[in-house]
């Protein structure tokens, strides 16, 4: 179980505003905010449309798993 403080939800809202044209939802933004908080560079998702575009603060891009043709 992961604990989060006020930082992650606030960052998720910030990401949502930054990527308003992408229509990034709160849950996707919160996952990215948690990756930033934990220093994680990989995320398991089939949502390449959102996660492939957003640039997290801690790395150039997230490595999307599973890898492959998409």
């Amino acid at each position: 179980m992961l604990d989060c403080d006020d930082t992650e939800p606030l960052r998720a809202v910030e990401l949502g505003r930054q990527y308003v044209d992408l229509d990034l939802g709160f849950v996707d933004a919160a996952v990215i905010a948690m990756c930033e908080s934990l220093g994680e560079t990989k995320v398991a998702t089939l949502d390449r449309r959102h996660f492939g575009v957003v640039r997290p603060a801690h790395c150039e891009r997230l490595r999307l798993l599973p890898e492959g043709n998409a």
Side-chain angles (χ1 to χ4, degrees), residues 7-34 36 49-51 53-57:
T7 308
E8 289 84 4
L10 292 174
R11 176 63 175 145
V13 169
E14 182 181 310
L15 285 165
R17 288 181 181 149
Q18 181 180 351
Y19 290 93
V20 68
D21 291 342
L22 185 61
D23 196 26
L24 182 67
F26 180 79
V27 173
D28 289 350
V31 169
I32 294 165
M34 285 302 297
E36 290 177 349
R49 179 176 162 264
H50 289 142
F51 287 91
V53 172
V54 175
R55 297 295 173 246

